[in-house]
Amino acid sequence: MITAIVMIDAATDAIGEVAQAIADLEGVSEVYSVAGDADLVAIVRVREFEQIAEVIAGRINKVPGVLETDTHIAFRAYSRHDLEAAFSLGLEPSG
């Protein structure tokens, strides 16, 4: 599974509608409204790397009200669950 984090600038008067339209797209698992440099953050999950372009350039960028996107490809996921599994194996954190 390939995960991309997409930072989205949206038209200010349509953020809710843009978020819902993006959330309804195939390949998009979640959309968050956020504070900071972007208006929305979408999590895209696909099986093949080539599908990233289909979802972002072919679908997200075509949603009315999307002004700009900035895409980050995830290499590895870290979570509390992963850390707990490492500790249960007897691995010691460095530091």
Side-chain angles (χ1 to χ4, degrees):
M1 182 71 59
I2 298 165
T3 301
I5 297 93
V6 186
M7 315 299 277
I8 302 164
D9 289 330
T12 305
D13 61 344
I15 290 174
E17 293 84 357
V18 172
Q20 189 59 58
I22 293 170
D24 290 340
L25 296 174
E26 184 179 345
V28 176
S29 64
E30 301 149 68
V31 178
Y32 300 94
S33 61
V34 297
D37 293 334
D39 298 309
L40 301 168
V41 174
I43 307 300
V44 173
R45 292 191 170 97
V46 293
R47 293 189 183 274
E48 309 267 336
F49 186 76
E50 293 78 21
Q51 293 173 298
I52 294 288
E54 292 172 21
V55 174
I56 297 166
R59 297 183 193 138
I60 291 176
N61 281 335
K62 292 182 179 176
V63 170
V66 170
L67 305 177
E68 188 174 337
T69 60
D70 182 22
T71 302
H72 302 265
I73 305 296
F75 293 129
R76 181 173 177 179
Y78 296 88
S79 70
R80 167 167 279 175
H81 182 265
D82 292 340
L83 294 175
E84 289 171 357
F87 286 119
S88 71
L89 294 173
L91 300 176
E92 294 294 323
S94 61

